Coordinates of all heavy atoms in Angstrom, one line a residue:
M1 N 29.7 -55.6 4.7 CA 30.1 -54.6 5.7 C 31.4 -55.0 6.3 O 31.7 -56.1 6.6 CB 29.1 -54.4 6.7 CG 29.6 -53.5 7.7 SD 28.3 -52.3 8.3 CE 26.8 -53.0 7.9
V2 N 32.5 -54.0 6.2 CA 33.7 -54.2 6.9 C 34.0 -52.9 7.6 O 34.1 -51.9 7.2 CB 34.9 -54.4 5.8 CG1 36.2 -54.6 6.4 CG2 34.4 -55.7 4.8
R3 N 34.3 -53.2 8.9 CA 34.7 -52.1 9.9 C 33.8 -50.9 9.8 O 34.2 -49.7 9.7 CB 36.1 -51.7 9.7 CG 37.1 -52.8 10.3 CD 38.5 -52.4 10.0 NE 38.8 -53.0 8.8 CZ 40.0 -52.8 8.1 NH1 40.9 -52.0 8.6 NH2 40.2 -53.4 7.0
G4 N 32.4 -51.2 9.7 CA 31.6 -50.1 9.7 C 31.2 -49.5 8.4 O 30.6 -48.5 8.4
R5 N 31.8 -49.9 7.4 CA 31.7 -49.4 6.1 C 30.8 -50.5 5.1 O 31.0 -51.7 5.2 CB 33.0 -49.0 5.3 CG 33.7 -47.9 5.8 CD 34.8 -47.5 4.9 NE 35.5 -46.4 5.6 CZ 35.2 -45.1 5.5 NH1 34.1 -44.8 5.0 NH2 35.9 -44.2 6.2
L6 N 30.0 -49.9 4.3 CA 29.2 -50.7 3.4 C 30.2 -51.1 2.1 O 30.9 -50.1 1.7 CB 27.9 -50.2 2.9 CG 27.0 -49.8 4.0 CD1 25.9 -48.9 3.5 CD2 26.3 -51.0 4.6
W7 N 30.2 -52.4 1.7 CA 31.0 -52.6 0.4 C 29.9 -53.3 -0.5 O 29.2 -54.1 -0.2 CB 32.1 -53.5 0.8 CG 33.1 -52.7 1.6 CD1 33.3 -52.6 2.9 CD2 34.2 -52.0 1.0 NE1 34.3 -51.7 3.3 CE2 34.9 -51.4 2.0 CE3 34.7 -51.8 -0.2 CZ2 36.1 -50.6 1.8 CZ3 35.8 -51.0 -0.5 CH2 36.4 -50.4 0.6
R8 N 30.1 -53.0 -1.7 CA 29.2 -53.4 -2.8 C 29.6 -54.9 -3.1 O 30.8 -55.3 -3.1 CB 29.4 -52.7 -4.0 CG 28.3 -53.0 -5.0 CD 28.6 -52.4 -6.3 NE 28.7 -51.0 -6.4 CZ 29.0 -50.3 -7.4 NH1 29.5 -50.8 -8.6 NH2 29.2 -49.0 -7.4
L9 N 28.7 -55.8 -3.2 CA 28.9 -57.2 -3.5 C 29.1 -57.3 -5.1 O 28.6 -56.4 -5.8 CB 27.6 -58.1 -3.2 CG 27.4 -58.2 -1.6 CD1 26.1 -59.1 -1.4 CD2 28.5 -58.8 -1.0
S10 N 29.5 -58.4 -5.6 CA 29.6 -58.7 -7.0 C 28.2 -58.8 -7.6 O 27.2 -59.1 -7.0 CB 30.3 -60.0 -7.2 OG 31.5 -60.0 -6.7
N11 N 28.1 -58.5 -8.9 CA 26.9 -58.5 -9.6 C 26.4 -60.0 -9.6 O 27.1 -61.0 -10.1 CB 27.2 -58.1 -11.0 CG 25.9 -58.1 -11.8 OD1 24.8 -58.6 -11.5 ND2 26.1 -57.5 -13.0
P12 N 25.2 -60.3 -8.9 CA 24.7 -61.7 -8.9 C 24.3 -62.2 -10.3 O 24.1 -63.3 -10.5 CB 23.6 -61.5 -8.0 CG 23.1 -60.1 -8.0 CD 24.4 -59.3 -8.2
A13 N 24.2 -61.4 -11.2 CA 23.7 -61.7 -12.6 C 24.9 -62.3 -13.4 O 24.7 -62.9 -14.5 CB 23.1 -60.6 -13.3
L14 N 26.2 -62.3 -12.9 CA 27.3 -62.8 -13.7 C 27.1 -64.3 -13.8 O 26.7 -64.9 -12.8 CB 28.6 -62.5 -13.0 CG 29.1 -61.1 -13.1 CD1 30.2 -60.9 -12.2 CD2 29.5 -60.7 -14.4
D15 N 27.5 -64.7 -15.1 CA 27.6 -66.2 -15.1 C 28.5 -66.8 -14.1 O 29.7 -66.2 -13.9 CB 27.9 -66.5 -16.6 CG 28.2 -68.0 -16.8 OD1 27.2 -68.7 -17.0 OD2 29.5 -68.4 -16.9
P16 N 28.2 -67.9 -13.5 CA 29.2 -68.4 -12.4 C 30.6 -68.7 -12.9 O 31.5 -68.5 -12.2 CB 28.5 -69.8 -12.1 CG 27.0 -69.5 -12.3 CD 26.9 -68.6 -13.5
A17 N 30.7 -69.3 -14.1 CA 32.0 -69.4 -14.7 C 32.8 -68.2 -15.0 O 33.9 -68.0 -14.7 CB 31.9 -70.2 -16.0
E18 N 32.1 -67.1 -15.5 CA 32.7 -65.8 -15.6 C 32.9 -65.2 -14.3 O 34.2 -64.6 -14.2 CB 31.8 -64.9 -16.4 CG 32.3 -63.5 -16.6 CD 33.5 -63.3 -17.5 OE1 33.9 -64.3 -18.1 OE2 33.9 -62.1 -17.7
R19 N 32.3 -65.3 -13.3 CA 32.5 -64.8 -12.0 C 33.8 -65.4 -11.4 O 34.6 -64.8 -10.9 CB 31.3 -65.1 -11.0 CG 31.6 -64.4 -9.7 CD 30.5 -64.6 -8.8 NE 30.6 -64.0 -7.4 CZ 31.5 -64.2 -6.5 NH1 32.4 -65.3 -6.8 NH2 31.5 -63.6 -5.5
E20 N 33.8 -66.8 -11.5 CA 35.1 -67.5 -11.0 C 36.3 -67.0 -11.8 O 37.3 -66.9 -11.1 CB 35.0 -69.0 -11.3 CG 36.0 -69.9 -10.7 CD 36.3 -69.7 -9.4 OE1 35.3 -69.5 -8.5 OE2 37.4 -69.8 -8.8
R21 N 36.3 -66.9 -13.2 CA 37.4 -66.4 -13.8 C 37.8 -65.1 -13.4 O 39.0 -64.7 -13.2 CB 37.0 -66.4 -15.3 CG 38.2 -66.0 -16.3 CD 37.7 -65.6 -17.7 NE 37.0 -64.6 -18.0 CZ 37.5 -63.3 -17.9 NH1 38.8 -63.1 -17.7 NH2 36.8 -62.2 -18.2
L22 N 36.8 -64.1 -13.0 CA 37.3 -62.8 -12.6 C 37.8 -62.8 -11.1 O 38.6 -62.0 -10.9 CB 35.9 -61.9 -12.7 CG 35.4 -61.5 -14.2 CD1 34.1 -60.8 -14.1 CD2 36.5 -60.6 -14.9
V23 N 37.3 -63.6 -10.4 CA 37.7 -63.8 -9.2 C 39.3 -64.2 -9.1 O 40.1 -63.7 -8.4 CB 36.9 -64.8 -8.2 CG1 37.5 -65.1 -6.8 CG2 35.6 -64.0 -7.9
Q24 N 39.6 -65.2 -9.9 CA 40.9 -65.7 -10.1 C 41.8 -64.5 -10.6 O 42.9 -64.5 -10.2 CB 40.9 -66.9 -11.1 CG 40.4 -68.1 -10.5 CD 41.0 -68.5 -9.2 OE1 42.1 -68.5 -9.1 NE2 40.2 -69.0 -8.3
Q25 N 41.2 -63.7 -11.5 CA 41.9 -62.6 -12.1 C 42.2 -61.6 -10.9 O 43.4 -61.0 -10.7 CB 41.1 -61.9 -13.2 CG 41.9 -60.8 -13.9 CD 40.9 -60.1 -14.9 OE1 40.1 -60.8 -15.6 NE2 40.9 -58.8 -15.1
L26 N 41.2 -61.3 -10.1 CA 41.4 -60.5 -8.9 C 42.5 -61.0 -8.0 O 43.3 -60.2 -7.5 CB 40.0 -60.3 -8.2 CG 40.1 -59.4 -7.0 CD1 40.6 -58.0 -7.3 CD2 38.6 -59.4 -6.4
M27 N 42.4 -62.3 -7.7 CA 43.5 -62.8 -6.8 C 44.8 -62.8 -7.4 O 45.8 -62.4 -6.6 CB 43.1 -64.4 -6.5 CG 41.8 -64.4 -5.7 SD 41.8 -63.7 -4.1 CE 40.8 -62.2 -4.4
T28 N 45.0 -63.0 -8.6 CA 46.3 -62.8 -9.3 C 46.9 -61.4 -9.1 O 47.9 -61.1 -8.8 CB 46.2 -63.3 -10.9 OG1 45.8 -64.6 -10.8 CG2 47.5 -63.1 -11.5
A29 N 45.8 -60.4 -9.4 CA 46.2 -58.9 -9.4 C 46.6 -58.7 -7.8 O 47.6 -57.9 -7.7 CB 45.1 -58.2 -9.9
R30 N 45.9 -59.1 -7.0 CA 46.3 -59.0 -5.4 C 47.7 -59.5 -5.2 O 48.4 -58.8 -4.5 CB 45.2 -59.3 -4.6 CG 44.0 -58.5 -4.6 CD 42.9 -59.1 -3.7 NE 41.8 -58.2 -3.5 CZ 40.7 -58.5 -3.0 NH1 40.4 -59.8 -2.6 NH2 39.7 -57.6 -3.0
R31 N 48.0 -60.6 -5.6 CA 49.3 -61.1 -5.4 C 50.4 -60.3 -6.2 O 51.4 -60.1 -5.5 CB 49.5 -62.6 -5.9 CG 48.7 -63.6 -5.1 CD 49.0 -65.1 -5.4 NE 48.5 -65.3 -6.7 CZ 47.3 -65.8 -6.9 NH1 46.3 -65.9 -5.9 NH2 46.8 -66.1 -8.1
A32 N 50.0 -59.8 -7.2 CA 50.9 -58.9 -8.0 C 51.2 -57.6 -7.1 O 52.3 -57.0 -7.2 CB 50.5 -58.5 -9.4
V33 N 50.2 -57.1 -6.5 CA 50.2 -55.9 -5.6 C 51.4 -56.3 -4.5 O 52.3 -55.4 -4.3 CB 49.0 -55.4 -5.0 CG1 49.2 -54.4 -4.0 CG2 48.2 -54.8 -6.2
R34 N 51.1 -57.4 -3.9 CA 52.1 -57.7 -2.9 C 53.5 -57.9 -3.2 O 54.4 -57.5 -2.6 CB 51.5 -59.0 -2.1 CG 52.2 -59.4 -0.8 CD 51.8 -60.6 -0.3 NE 51.9 -61.9 -1.1 CZ 50.8 -62.6 -1.5 NH1 49.6 -62.3 -1.1 NH2 51.0 -63.6 -2.3
M35 N 53.7 -58.5 -4.5 CA 55.1 -58.6 -5.1 C 55.7 -57.4 -5.5 O 56.8 -57.3 -5.6 CB 54.9 -59.6 -6.1 CG 54.4 -61.0 -5.7 SD 55.3 -61.8 -4.5 CE 56.8 -62.4 -5.5
A36 N 54.9 -56.4 -6.0 CA 55.5 -55.1 -6.5 C 55.9 -54.1 -5.5 O 56.3 -53.0 -6.0 CB 54.3 -54.4 -7.4
K37 N 55.8 -54.4 -4.2 CA 56.3 -53.4 -3.3 C 57.8 -53.0 -3.6 O 58.6 -53.7 -3.7 CB 56.3 -53.9 -1.9 CG 54.7 -54.4 -1.4 CD 53.9 -53.1 -1.4 CE 52.5 -53.6 -1.0 NZ 51.6 -52.6 -0.7
G38 N 57.9 -51.7 -3.6 CA 59.2 -51.1 -3.9 C 59.5 -50.8 -5.4 O 60.4 -50.1 -5.8
D39 N 58.6 -51.3 -6.2 CA 58.6 -50.9 -7.6 C 57.4 -50.2 -8.1 O 56.4 -50.7 -8.3 CB 58.8 -52.1 -8.5 CG 58.8 -52.0 -9.9 OD1 58.5 -50.9 -10.4 OD2 59.2 -52.9 -10.7
P40 N 57.5 -48.8 -8.1 CA 56.2 -48.0 -8.3 C 55.6 -48.3 -9.7 O 54.4 -48.3 -9.7 CB 56.9 -46.6 -8.3 CG 58.2 -46.6 -7.8 CD 58.7 -48.0 -7.9
D41 N 56.3 -48.5 -10.8 CA 55.6 -49.0 -12.0 C 54.8 -50.2 -11.9 O 53.7 -50.4 -12.3 CB 56.6 -49.0 -13.2 CG 57.3 -47.6 -13.5 OD1 56.4 -46.6 -13.2 OD2 58.4 -47.7 -14.0
A42 N 55.5 -51.2 -11.3 CA 54.8 -52.6 -11.1 C 53.6 -52.4 -10.3 O 52.6 -53.0 -10.5 CB 55.7 -53.6 -10.6
L43 N 53.7 -51.7 -9.1 CA 52.6 -51.3 -8.2 C 51.4 -50.7 -8.8 O 50.4 -51.1 -8.7 CB 53.2 -50.6 -7.0 CG 52.2 -50.5 -5.9 CD1 51.7 -51.7 -5.4 CD2 52.8 -49.5 -4.8
R44 N 51.8 -49.8 -9.7 CA 50.8 -49.0 -10.4 C 49.9 -49.9 -11.5 O 48.8 -49.9 -11.4 CB 51.3 -47.8 -11.2 CG 50.2 -46.9 -11.8 CD 50.9 -45.6 -12.4 NE 51.8 -45.0 -11.5 CZ 53.1 -44.9 -11.8 NH1 53.7 -45.7 -12.7 NH2 54.0 -44.3 -10.9
A45 N 50.7 -50.7 -12.1 CA 50.0 -51.8 -12.9 C 49.2 -52.8 -12.2 O 48.1 -53.2 -12.6 CB 51.1 -52.3 -13.8
A46 N 49.8 -53.4 -11.2 CA 49.0 -54.3 -10.3 C 47.7 -53.8 -9.8 O 46.7 -54.3 -9.8 CB 50.0 -54.8 -9.2
R47 N 47.8 -52.4 -9.2 CA 46.7 -52.0 -8.7 C 45.6 -51.6 -9.9 O 44.5 -51.8 -9.5 CB 47.0 -50.6 -7.9 CG 47.7 -50.9 -6.5 CD 48.0 -49.6 -5.8 NE 48.5 -49.9 -4.5 CZ 49.1 -49.1 -3.8 NH1 49.3 -47.7 -4.3 NH2 49.6 -49.4 -2.7
S48 N 46.0 -51.2 -10.9 CA 45.2 -51.0 -12.1 C 44.5 -52.3 -12.5 O 43.3 -52.3 -12.8 CB 46.0 -50.6 -13.3 OG 45.1 -50.4 -14.3
S49 N 45.2 -53.5 -12.3 CA 44.6 -54.9 -12.6 C 43.6 -55.2 -11.5 O 42.6 -55.7 -11.8 CB 45.7 -55.8 -12.7 OG 46.6 -55.6 -13.7
V50 N 43.9 -55.0 -10.2 CA 42.8 -55.1 -9.3 C 41.6 -54.3 -9.5 O 40.5 -54.8 -9.5 CB 43.5 -54.7 -7.8 CG1 42.4 -54.6 -6.8 CG2 44.5 -55.7 -7.4
D51 N 41.8 -53.0 -9.9 CA 40.6 -52.2 -10.2 C 39.9 -52.7 -11.2 O 38.5 -52.7 -11.3 CB 41.1 -50.8 -10.5 CG 39.9 -49.8 -10.6 OD1 39.3 -49.6 -9.6 OD2 39.8 -49.2 -11.7
A52 N 40.5 -53.2 -12.3 CA 39.7 -53.7 -13.6 C 39.0 -54.9 -13.2 O 37.8 -55.1 -13.7 CB 40.8 -54.1 -14.7
A53 N 39.4 -55.7 -12.5 CA 38.8 -57.0 -12.0 C 37.6 -56.7 -11.2 O 36.4 -57.0 -11.2 CB 39.8 -57.9 -11.2
K54 N 37.8 -55.7 -10.3 CA 36.7 -55.4 -9.4 C 35.6 -54.6 -10.1 O 34.4 -55.1 -9.9 CB 37.2 -54.5 -8.2 CG 37.9 -55.2 -7.1 CD 38.2 -54.3 -6.0 CE 38.3 -55.2 -4.7 NZ 37.0 -55.5 -4.3
R55 N 35.9 -53.8 -11.1 CA 34.9 -53.2 -12.0 C 34.3 -54.3 -12.9 O 33.0 -54.2 -12.9 CB 35.5 -52.1 -12.9 CG 36.0 -50.9 -12.1 CD 36.7 -49.8 -13.1 NE 37.1 -48.7 -12.2 CZ 36.4 -47.8 -11.9 NH1 35.1 -47.7 -12.2 NH2 36.8 -46.8 -11.1
A56 N 34.9 -55.2 -13.3 CA 34.3 -56.3 -14.1 C 33.3 -57.2 -13.2 O 32.2 -57.7 -13.7 CB 35.4 -57.2 -14.7
L57 N 33.6 -57.4 -11.9 CA 32.8 -58.1 -11.0 C 31.6 -57.3 -10.5 O 30.7 -57.8 -9.9 CB 33.7 -58.4 -9.8 CG 34.6 -59.6 -10.0 CD1 35.5 -59.7 -8.8 CD2 33.8 -61.0 -10.0
G58 N 31.7 -56.0 -10.8 CA 30.6 -55.0 -10.3 C 30.8 -54.5 -8.9 O 30.0 -53.8 -8.5
E59 N 31.9 -54.7 -8.4 CA 32.3 -54.3 -7.1 C 32.7 -52.7 -7.1 O 32.7 -52.0 -5.9 CB 33.3 -55.0 -6.4 CG 32.9 -56.5 -6.2 CD 34.0 -57.3 -5.6 OE1 35.0 -56.8 -5.2 OE2 33.7 -58.6 -5.6
R60 N 32.9 -52.1 -8.2 CA 33.2 -50.8 -8.4 C 32.7 -50.3 -9.6 O 32.2 -51.0 -10.4 CB 34.8 -50.5 -8.4 CG 35.6 -50.8 -7.2 CD 37.0 -50.5 -7.3 NE 37.7 -50.9 -6.1 CZ 39.0 -50.9 -6.1 NH1 39.8 -50.8 -7.0 NH2 39.5 -51.2 -4.9
G61 N 32.8 -49.0 -9.8 CA 32.1 -48.4 -11.1 C 30.6 -48.1 -11.0 O 30.1 -48.1 -9.8
L62 N 30.1 -48.1 -12.1 CA 28.7 -47.8 -12.1 C 27.8 -49.0 -11.5 O 28.2 -50.3 -11.6 CB 28.1 -47.7 -13.6 CG 28.8 -46.5 -14.4 CD1 28.2 -46.5 -15.8 CD2 28.4 -45.2 -13.8
P63 N 26.8 -48.7 -10.8 CA 26.0 -49.8 -10.1 C 25.4 -50.7 -11.2 O 25.2 -50.4 -12.3 CB 24.9 -49.0 -9.5 CG 25.4 -47.6 -9.3 CD 26.3 -47.4 -10.4
W64 N 25.4 -52.0 -10.8 CA 24.8 -53.1 -11.7 C 23.3 -53.2 -11.6 O 22.6 -53.8 -12.2 CB 25.6 -54.4 -11.5 CG 25.8 -54.8 -10.0 CD1 26.9 -54.6 -9.2 CD2 24.8 -55.3 -9.2 NE1 26.7 -55.0 -8.1 CE2 25.5 -55.5 -7.8 CE3 23.4 -55.6 -9.2 CZ2 24.9 -55.9 -6.7 CZ3 22.8 -56.1 -8.1 CH2 23.6 -56.3 -6.9
W65 N 22.8 -52.6 -10.5 CA 21.4 -52.8 -10.2 C 20.6 -51.7 -11.0 O 21.2 -50.7 -11.4 CB 21.1 -52.8 -8.7 CG 21.4 -51.4 -8.1 CD1 20.7 -50.2 -7.9 CD2 22.7 -51.3 -7.4 NE1 21.6 -49.4 -7.1 CE2 22.9 -50.1 -6.9 CE3 23.9 -52.2 -7.3 CZ2 24.0 -49.6 -6.2 CZ3 25.0 -51.8 -6.6 CH2 25.0 -50.3 -5.9
T66 N 19.4 -51.9 -11.4 CA 18.5 -51.1 -12.3 C 17.4 -50.3 -11.6 O 16.6 -49.8 -12.3 CB 18.2 -51.7 -13.5 OG1 17.4 -52.9 -13.1 CG2 19.4 -52.2 -14.2
D67 N 17.1 -50.6 -10.3 CA 16.1 -50.1 -9.5 C 16.2 -48.5 -9.0 O 15.2 -48.0 -8.4 CB 15.6 -51.0 -8.4 CG 16.7 -50.9 -7.3 OD1 17.7 -50.2 -7.4 OD2 16.4 -51.5 -6.3
G68 N 17.3 -47.9 -9.4 CA 17.5 -46.6 -9.1 C 18.1 -46.3 -7.7 O 18.2 -45.1 -7.2
A69 N 18.1 -47.3 -6.8 CA 18.6 -47.1 -5.5 C 20.1 -46.6 -5.6 O 20.8 -46.9 -6.5 CB 18.7 -48.6 -4.9
P70 N 20.4 -45.7 -4.6 CA 21.8 -45.2 -4.6 C 22.7 -46.1 -4.3 O 22.5 -47.1 -3.6 CB 21.6 -43.9 -3.6 CG 20.3 -44.2 -2.7 CD 19.5 -45.2 -3.6
D71 N 24.0 -45.7 -4.6 CA 25.1 -46.5 -4.3 C 25.9 -45.9 -3.1 O 26.3 -44.9 -3.0 CB 26.1 -46.5 -5.5 CG 27.3 -47.3 -5.3 OD1 27.3 -48.1 -4.4 OD2 28.3 -47.2 -6.2
Y72 N 25.8 -46.8 -2.0 CA 26.5 -46.3 -0.8 C 27.8 -47.0 -0.6 O 28.3 -47.2 0.5 CB 25.6 -46.6 0.5 CG 24.3 -45.7 0.5 CD1 23.0 -46.5 0.2 CD2 24.5 -44.4 0.6 CE1 21.9 -45.6 0.2 CE2 23.2 -43.7 0.6 CZ 22.1 -44.2 0.5 OH 20.8 -43.5 0.3
N73 N 28.4 -47.6 -1.5 CA 29.8 -48.2 -1.5 C 30.7 -47.4 -0.9 O 31.0 -46.2 -1.2 CB 30.2 -48.6 -2.9 CG 31.4 -49.7 -2.9 OD1 31.4 -50.5 -2.0 ND2 32.2 -49.5 -3.9
R74 N 31.3 -48.0 0.2 CA 32.6 -47.5 1.0 C 32.0 -46.3 2.0 O 32.9 -45.7 2.5 CB 33.5 -47.0 0.0 CG 34.2 -47.9 -0.8 CD 35.4 -47.3 -1.7 NE 35.8 -48.2 -2.7 CZ 36.9 -48.0 -3.3 NH1 37.4 -46.9 -3.3 NH2 37.3 -48.9 -4.2
R75 N 30.7 -46.2 2.2 CA 30.2 -45.2 3.0 C 30.1 -45.8 4.5 O 29.9 -46.9 4.5 CB 28.9 -44.7 2.7 CG 28.8 -44.1 1.3 CD 29.2 -42.7 1.4 NE 29.0 -41.7 0.3 CZ 29.2 -41.8 -0.9 NH1 29.7 -42.9 -1.5 NH2 28.8 -40.8 -1.8
L76 N 30.4 -45.1 5.4 CA 30.1 -45.4 6.8 C 28.6 -45.7 7.0 O 27.8 -44.8 6.6 CB 30.5 -44.3 7.9 CG 32.0 -44.2 8.1 CD1 32.3 -42.8 8.9 CD2 32.8 -45.4 8.7
V77 N 28.4 -46.9 7.6 CA 26.9 -47.2 7.6 C 26.1 -46.2 8.4 O 25.0 -46.0 8.1 CB 26.8 -48.7 8.0 CG1 27.2 -48.7 9.6 CG2 25.5 -49.2 7.9
G78 N 26.8 -45.6 9.3 CA 26.1 -44.6 10.2 C 25.6 -43.4 9.5 O 24.8 -42.7 9.9
N79 N 26.2 -43.2 8.3 CA 25.9 -42.1 7.4 C 25.0 -42.4 6.3 O 24.9 -41.7 5.3 CB 27.2 -41.4 6.9 CG 28.1 -40.9 8.0 OD1 27.6 -40.5 9.1 ND2 29.4 -40.8 7.7
T80 N 24.3 -43.7 6.4 CA 23.4 -44.0 5.3 C 22.0 -44.4 5.9 O 21.8 -44.4 7.2 CB 24.0 -45.3 4.7 OG1 23.9 -46.3 5.6 CG2 25.4 -45.1 4.2
P81 N 21.0 -44.6 5.1 CA 19.8 -45.0 5.4 C 19.7 -46.3 6.2 O 18.8 -46.9 6.8 CB 18.9 -45.1 4.3 CG 19.6 -44.2 3.4 CD 21.0 -44.4 3.6
Y82 N 20.9 -47.0 6.2 CA 21.0 -48.4 6.9 C 21.6 -48.4 8.3 O 21.7 -49.3 9.0 CB 21.9 -49.2 6.1 CG 21.4 -49.5 4.6 CD1 22.1 -49.0 3.5 CD2 20.4 -50.4 4.4 CE1 21.5 -49.1 2.3 CE2 20.0 -50.7 3.1 CZ 20.5 -50.0 2.2 OH 20.1 -50.2 0.8
A83 N 21.6 -47.2 8.8 CA 22.2 -47.1 10.1 C 21.3 -47.8 11.4 O 21.9 -48.4 12.2 CB 22.3 -45.5 10.5
D84 N 20.2 -47.5 11.2 CA 19.2 -48.2 12.1 C 19.2 -49.7 12.1 O 19.3 -50.4 13.0 CB 17.6 -47.7 12.1 CG 17.5 -46.2 12.4 OD1 18.4 -45.7 13.2 OD2 16.6 -45.7 12.1
W85 N 19.3 -50.3 10.9 CA 19.4 -51.6 10.5 C 20.6 -52.2 11.2 O 20.7 -53.2 11.7 CB 19.2 -52.0 9.1 CG 19.7 -53.3 8.8 CD1 19.0 -54.4 8.8 CD2 21.0 -53.6 8.3 NE1 19.9 -55.5 8.4 CE2 21.1 -55.0 8.1 CE3 22.2 -52.9 8.1 CZ2 22.2 -55.7 7.6 CZ3 23.4 -53.6 7.7 CH2 23.4 -55.0 7.4
Y86 N 21.7 -51.5 10.9 CA 23.0 -51.9 11.4 C 23.1 -51.9 13.0 O 23.6 -52.9 13.5 CB 24.1 -50.9 11.0 CG 25.5 -51.4 11.4 CD1 26.0 -52.8 10.9 CD2 26.3 -50.5 12.2 CE1 27.2 -53.0 11.4 CE2 27.7 -51.1 12.6 CZ 28.1 -52.2 12.1 OH 29.3 -52.5 12.6
E87 N 22.5 -51.1 13.7 CA 22.4 -51.1 15.0 C 21.8 -52.2 15.6 O 22.0 -52.9 16.6 CB 21.8 -49.8 15.6 CG 22.6 -48.6 15.6 CD 22.1 -47.3 16.2 OE1 21.2 -47.5 17.1 OE2 22.3 -46.2 15.7
T88 N 20.5 -52.6 14.9 CA 19.9 -53.8 15.3 C 20.7 -55.0 15.1 O 20.7 -55.9 16.0 CB 18.5 -53.9 14.4 OG1 17.8 -52.8 14.5 CG2 17.6 -55.1 14.8
V89 N 21.2 -55.2 13.9 CA 22.2 -56.4 13.8 C 23.3 -56.4 14.6 O 23.7 -57.5 15.2 CB 22.7 -56.2 12.2 CG1 23.7 -57.4 12.1 CG2 21.5 -56.3 11.3
S90 N 24.0 -55.3 14.9 CA 25.1 -55.4 15.8 C 24.8 -55.6 17.3 O 25.4 -56.3 17.9 CB 25.8 -53.8 16.0 OG 26.3 -53.6 14.6
A91 N 23.5 -55.3 17.6 CA 23.0 -55.6 19.0 C 22.8 -57.1 19.1 O 23.1 -57.7 20.2 CB 21.7 -54.8 19.3
K92 N 22.3 -57.7 18.1 CA 22.1 -59.1 18.1 C 23.4 -59.8 18.1 O 23.5 -60.9 18.8 CB 21.3 -59.6 16.8 CG 19.9 -59.3 16.8 CD 19.2 -59.6 15.6 CE 17.7 -59.1 15.4 NZ 17.1 -59.3 14.1
D93 N 24.4 -59.4 17.4 CA 25.7 -60.0 17.4 C 26.4 -59.9 18.7 O 27.1 -60.8 19.2 CB 26.6 -59.4 16.3 CG 26.2 -59.9 14.9 OD1 25.4 -60.8 14.8 OD2 26.6 -59.2 13.9
A94 N 26.2 -58.7 19.4 CA 26.8 -58.6 20.8 C 26.2 -59.5 22.0 O 26.8 -59.7 22.9 CB 26.7 -57.2 21.1
G95 N 24.9 -59.8 21.7 CA 24.2 -60.5 22.7 C 24.1 -61.9 22.7 O 24.6 -62.8 22.7

């Protein structure tokens, strides 16, 4: 969760070596985004690389889980069934 939004985790079924390779690919793509400022073509390509890495990690795209649970990725937690849980967790952190 980041700033009140739910974010999907990477697929835990990924082989650790594959996950590490994909994380390195993601970090390289994020650096390319930072370096591409001012060059629309380079920025588009870099953002596409970020998206590809996140999809390969399972953080975007079709859900990697198979239990039929809905995908609340990027949703405000208050607008999901996790709202009550979040209030409980937030209250513990505040106190």
Side-chain angles (χ1 to χ4, degrees):
M1 173 142 19
V2 178
R3 287 178 266 172
R5 287 193 186 275
L6 297 172
W7 289 89
R8 192 189 305 173
L9 296 176
S10 297
N11 183 346
L14 285 174
D15 174 73
E18 176 67 2
R19 183 183 186 291
E20 181 61 29
R21 185 187 72 73
L22 291 169
V23 168
Q24 291 302 319
Q25 182 180 327
L26 176 59
M27 294 300 106
T28 298
R30 285 180 170 165
R31 283 189 297 275
V33 168
R34 188 175 62 236
M35 301 295 288
K37 299 295 179 178
D39 181 345
D41 292 332
L43 185 58
R44 190 175 308 107
R47 285 184 174 160
S48 178
S49 294
V50 168
D51 185 61
K54 287 185 146 292
R55 287 177 184 280
L57 283 164
E59 295 176 9
R60 292 185 182 161
L62 296 174
W64 43 260
W65 54 93
T66 59
D67 65 359
D71 182 11
Y72 295 111
N73 193 36
R74 301 183 187 185
R75 299 283 200 300
L76 287 172
V77 71
N79 296 334
T80 72
Y82 299 105
D84 292 339
W85 165 82
Y86 181 65
E87 285 183 30
T88 303
V89 173
S90 296
K92 288 179 186 175
D93 289 342

